[in-house]
Amino acid sequence: MAINTLNDTITLEKIVRIYGAEAVSIQNNAEWLVTEKNVITPGESAIFRIAGLAPNTKAYYEVYYRNQVSKKVWLTLSDKQEIIQIKPESNFKNDFAVQFTMVYNGNIYNSIQKVNIVDASKQLEIKFLTFRNKLQPGEKESWKLQNQ
């Protein structure tokens, strides 16, 4: 809680919901889509939880890679979350996106989720060859780095 110069109080309240391994019923409309894992390594799957806002709600998702749709899937949902695992195709490098769309009571629910593919074997390993911890104002310094 904070109080400003006019003695107004400001309170910020956040609610955190922790999910277990099992799918659960959603408690409000904001939980229609929950991203569980969107940073993956090659061979892993991105994981999302999606739920309808009523029984037999239709939803749709598309997987995009380099501005092209590579996969389209229709889903029939209930208010209980469905856990969706999306494995990137073998030609996917760096990242891809998944767009989820659902219409309920005339409202469009739409979300685009970026999935990063991190390949640890392609990470740069940089070593500092020179380093000085004391430098005077105006003094020039050159650095040497080595890619291992």
Side-chain angles (χ1 to χ4, degrees):
M1 183 168 72
I3 300 174
N4 68 7
T5 57
L6 301 173
N7 286 329
D8 293 329
T9 58
I10 300 169
T11 304
L12 177 64
E13 193 174 292
K14 292 191 176 196
I15 298 171
V16 177
R17 180 145 186 222
I18 299 172
Y19 298 100
E22 299 297 318
V24 296
S25 295
I26 62 173
Q27 295 180 356
N28 60 52
N29 292 0
E31 291 183 288
W32 79 276
L33 179 66
V34 176
T35 303
E36 194 165 304
K37 185 175 186 180
N38 66 347
V39 177
I40 60 174
T41 60
E44 287 185 324
S45 296
I47 302 172
F48 301 94
R49 293 174 180 250
I50 186 169
L53 303 179
N56 297 318
T57 302
K58 298 288 185 194
Y60 179 74
Y61 74 84
E62 297 175 318
V63 177
Y64 290 91
Y65 180 67
R66 294 192 176 169
N67 298 324
Q68 293 188 353
V69 177
S70 67
K71 184 177 184 181
K72 301 176 184 182
V73 178
W74 278 99
L75 304 167
T76 302
L77 304 170
S78 67
D79 67 339
K80 186 174 180 182
Q81 293 174 326
E82 186 173 322
I83 298 173
I84 297 176
Q85 296 189 16
I86 302 173
K87 189 170 185 170
E89 295 177 17
S90 60
N91 64 327
F92 286 12
K93 305 288 184 228
N94 300 325
D95 56 24
F96 65 97
V98 184
Q99 177 173 292
F100 295 90
T101 304
M102 178 176 63
V103 177
Y104 177 71
N105 278 348
N107 293 318
I108 297 174
Y109 295 83
N110 189 30
S111 179
I112 297 178
Q113 300 291 319
K114 183 177 178 184
V115 179
N116 293 314
I117 304 170
V118 179
D119 189 350
S121 67
K122 293 185 178 179
Q123 297 292 321
L124 284 179
E125 292 186 29
I126 299 174
K127 178 181 173 185
F128 286 92
L129 298 177
T130 60
F131 179 76
R132 291 174 193 83
N133 59 0
K134 293 183 181 179
L135 191 62
Q136 297 299 319
E139 187 179 350
K140 297 194 186 236
E141 181 171 12
S142 39
W143 295 60
K144 290 184 182 180
L145 304 173
Q146 179 181 29
N147 184 10
Q148 297 181 345

